[in-house]
Amino acid sequence: MIVLFTDFGLTGPYAGQVKAVLHQVAPQVPVVDLFADAPSRDPRASAYLLAAYAAWFPAGTVFLAVVDPGVGGKRPPVALEADGRWFVGPGNGLLEIVHRRADRSRLLEIAWRPPDLSVSFHGRDLFAPVAASLARGQPIEAEPRPDGFGRRPDWPDDLAEIVYIDHYGNAMTGLRAKAVPANAILIAGGTRIARARTFSDMPAGTPLWYENSNGLAEIAVNLGRADEVLGLKVGDRIEIESSVVSRQKGD
Amino acid sequence: MIVLFTDFGLTGPYAGQVKAVLHQVAPQVPVVDLFADAPSRDPRASAYLLAAYAAWFPAGTVFLAVVDPGVGGKRPPVALEADGRWFVGPGNGLLEIVHRRADRSRLLEIAWRPPDLSVSFHGRDLFAPVAASLARGQPIEAEPRPDGFGRRPDWPDDLAEIVYIDHYGNAMTGLRAKAVPANAILIAGGTRIARARTFSDMPAGTPLWYENSNGLAEIAVNLGRADEVLGLKVGDRIEIESSVVSRQKGD
Amino acid sequence: MIVLFTDFGLTGPYAGQVKAVLHQVAPQVPVVDLFADAPSRDPRASAYLLAAYAAWFPAGTVFLAVVDPGVGGKRPPVALEADGRWFVGPGNGLLEIVHRRADRSRLLEIAWRPPDLSVSFHGRDLFAPVAASLARGQPIEAEPRPDGFGRRPDWPDDLAEIVYIDHYGNAMTGLRAKAVPANAILIAGGTRIARARTFSDMPAGTPLWYENSNGLAEIAVNLGRADEVLGLKVGDRIEIESSVVSRQKGD
């Protein structure tokens, strides 16, 4: 299976042309759109979203991950093998969090170049053929790179920001729920938000945060749109207020 | 063929994860997106849209139908066989109109639970594996339920509301055209609208209603957007004005 | 491979029903969404977009091309073979530019009609079965027509208009970059725009035009949205200012 994680948008010709390449190079391999609306031109926020969702897919999955504002510039094209999954895309930090959380990883810089490489669409011309080759189990032209190559050690392990607003208006953060104290209050858009198990545990219109189906802390409003009710957008900072006072006293 | 009818939105990771499950459990079975934008969190309006569009598909089609605002709550997961088609989804009324219009039907409550069932994403964890099993012709773990189980006898046979606004701004109602008198005037957004065969029978800018390609009464404006011209949105009531006066006199 | 080029929108049931037909008639043939948001109800602007993008696909590709505001009216359904690719759709000018640029072409009027032809959805009922038959290499019921049948000789070879705004806010014109003098200034929305190789050659926020990955002159703003910064929308006229003065003097 090849999984697309991009900021191409679903509209327009980009995903279609990428899929045309994949079907030609790797016929019969299913192609799945995961995100076509990853945080636009923001490899850092995208990195946390990708890591959270990639972990759900089985080993052997190949991710074509393209959030690439510097296309045509100097960032290297890379392929990362991480716990049995492959990730192909720009070496601009997009794969940082996947890499950091992997038990076993192997980083390659893609050396292959197509005969006709457009300046602005490496997703189609360079990354798609490489991803399709990997999905077929074929070798690619690439050079091993040391583990530290192009890494972003200054990025946090979890990102206290909104990284995605979904179709329902729910706001995903870059925080793994397990990295947040269970009794923590999240503060977003000036509102203090308590944890719940799921929407329907709350009265209609009440904000809550919970562990979403891929492990991220997500902010929602039962039977409402959190983005509108709380005034949230991608990139907004989240504060974590942990009620540790009583525990400090008690310990 | 597996057909998706959901309010997941096309953006975001939901349809993609569902398709990943379908491809893994039922490889080679084509998956078609029918609606990803069914009336959001509204199983009742969605039920009329689903029934109108499902009837077009051949026997053997499996519908994964998920409009499920109560996910994680008490509504049962169900599978309905209706005139040779399967429908898998929440037992919240979403399948009511399909069920009501079926000549032959069989209702099952899904007993199977996956080892890891998320609280908020039964579409992926529960309904998709069941739909894929049915598409492969495999038995599922489920209990027969009497025909009246979870039914909505109080819902009308046809719904005099806008249930969908399409990409062109055309407004689909929950009324089958054949259930509306041929000479009826529909009143929507305060405008009286006459019937026509199709858009191009009317001057540009004129509202009309007609039987759409799936049998629903649909309101359009030739070479314009009915939603904007008439101020229509999903959920708006429709009045039906049947000019039976002259016929009563003449008979 | 069957490629969809339509103004159906990605939302709603249209693309899904078309794909259901394609999967039934031509199982195993991959179907790719290229554009679902071609210039709405505008076969002329769409014709330039289609020609630019179709040229990238290999011979043997079948395009289902439907931008058809006159559906249900008098325009004929046609199939065009052009340089080894097939195009199936309405004979309303949509295929004009593909036709004009082809070295070898063959135009057919589709004579076949399905038993149940809806008034408003020929994409599903008529064009999809024909496209699927062509993709399987099967003969279709159609009549040869002379090369001039339904042509639009008055349309220009290149269209000095915005024909598409993409997900990033980049504005594609209907001009092939190679048809524009290399040193030309494009004027769009009142702004004079110079050529560059790609976004990242320009400072953030600066407008530029460049040859996009399918050969069209495209207007962008590095790390910004050209549509918002420059106030552009589909249909806007472009002026071409060629700095030929100095060359005239020098020659």
Side-chain angles (χ1 to χ4, degrees), chain A residues 13-22 24 116 118 121 123-125 128-129, chain C residues 1 3 32 34 50-59 61 63 85 87 213-215:
Chain A
Y14 307 116
Q17 290 188 289
V18 162
K19 287 180 197 171
V21 171
L22 298 175
Q24 287 179 276
D116 295 306
S118 65
F121 200 1
R124 177 191 72 186
D125 299 335
Chain C
M1 180 162 49
V3 172
V32 165
L34 179 59
L50 174 60
Y53 279 82
W56 177 82
F57 285 85
T61 302
F63 291 83
R85 303 177 191 98
F87 298 84
S213 58
N214 285 272

Side-chain angles (χ1 to χ4, degrees), chain A residues 62-206:
Chain A
V62 177
F63 291 83
L64 182 59
V66 186
V67 176
D68 194 13
V71 62
K74 285 180 191 167
R75 53 96 199 102
V78 299
L80 172 71
E81 187 178 14
D83 294 341
R85 302 177 193 98
W86 276 103
F87 299 82
V88 178
N92 60 7
L94 178 59
L95 307 183
E96 170 64 27
I97 305 304
V98 167
H99 199 161
R100 195 181 299 181
R101 292 181 189 165
D103 290 326
R104 291 165 294 105
S105 65
R106 189 157 66 101
L107 184 64
L108 306 172
E109 181 171 350
I110 298 167
W112 178 77
R113 292 296 179 275
D116 295 306
L117 176 64
S118 65
V119 174
S120 56
F121 200 1
H122 291 193
R124 177 191 72 186
D125 299 335
L126 177 57
F127 298 128
V130 168
S133 294
L134 288 169
R136 295 181 64 190
Q138 294 185 330
I140 61 167
E141 240 177 86
E143 297 294 327
R145 291 284 175 250
D147 197 62
F149 179 80
R151 299 294 296 276
R152 299 294 191 278
D154 51 317
W155 291 6
D157 285 349
D158 291 85
L159 186 67
E161 283 183 16
I162 306 294
V163 296
Y164 192 75
I165 306 276
D166 80 2
H167 177 68
Y168 303 96
N170 299 340
M172 298 181 193
T173 71
L175 299 163
R176 286 167 295 182
K178 70 177 183 189
V180 179
N183 61 354
I185 300 291
L186 297 188
I187 308 179
T191 303
R192 299 178 72 251
I193 302 163
R195 185 172 189 155
R197 194 185 55 102
T198 188
F199 330 111
S200 49
D201 288 356
M202 285 291 190
T206 306

Side-chain angles (χ1 to χ4, degrees), chain A residues 1 10 28 30 32-35 37 53 56-58 164 166-168 170 172 197-200 210 213-214 223-224, chain B residues 7-14 16-17 19-21 23-24 28 36 40-41 69 71-73 118-121 124:
Chain A
M1 182 161 48
L10 273 175
Q28 311 302 332
V32 165
D33 292 290
L34 180 60
F35 282 96
D37 57 345
Y53 279 81
W56 177 82
F57 286 84
Y164 192 75
D166 80 2
H167 177 68
Y168 303 96
N170 299 340
M172 298 181 193
R197 194 185 55 102
T198 188
F199 330 111
S200 49
Y210 60 100
S213 57
N214 284 273
L223 299 177
Chain B
D7 69 348
F8 292 166
L10 273 175
T11 57
Y14 307 116
Q17 290 187 290
K19 288 180 197 170
V21 171
H23 287 311
Q24 287 178 276
Q28 311 302 333
S40 186
R41 295 167 167 158
V71 63
S118 65
V119 174
S120 56
F121 199 1
R124 177 191 71 187

Side-chain angles (χ1 to χ4, degrees), chain B residues 54-76:
Chain B
W56 177 81
F57 285 85
T61 302
V62 177
F63 291 83
L64 181 60
V66 187
V67 176
D68 194 12
V71 63
K74 285 178 189 167
R75 56 89 210 101

Side-chain angles (χ1 to χ4, degrees), chain C residues 125-138:
Chain C
D125 299 336
L126 178 56
F127 297 128
V130 169
S133 295
L134 288 169
R136 293 181 63 191
Q138 293 185 332

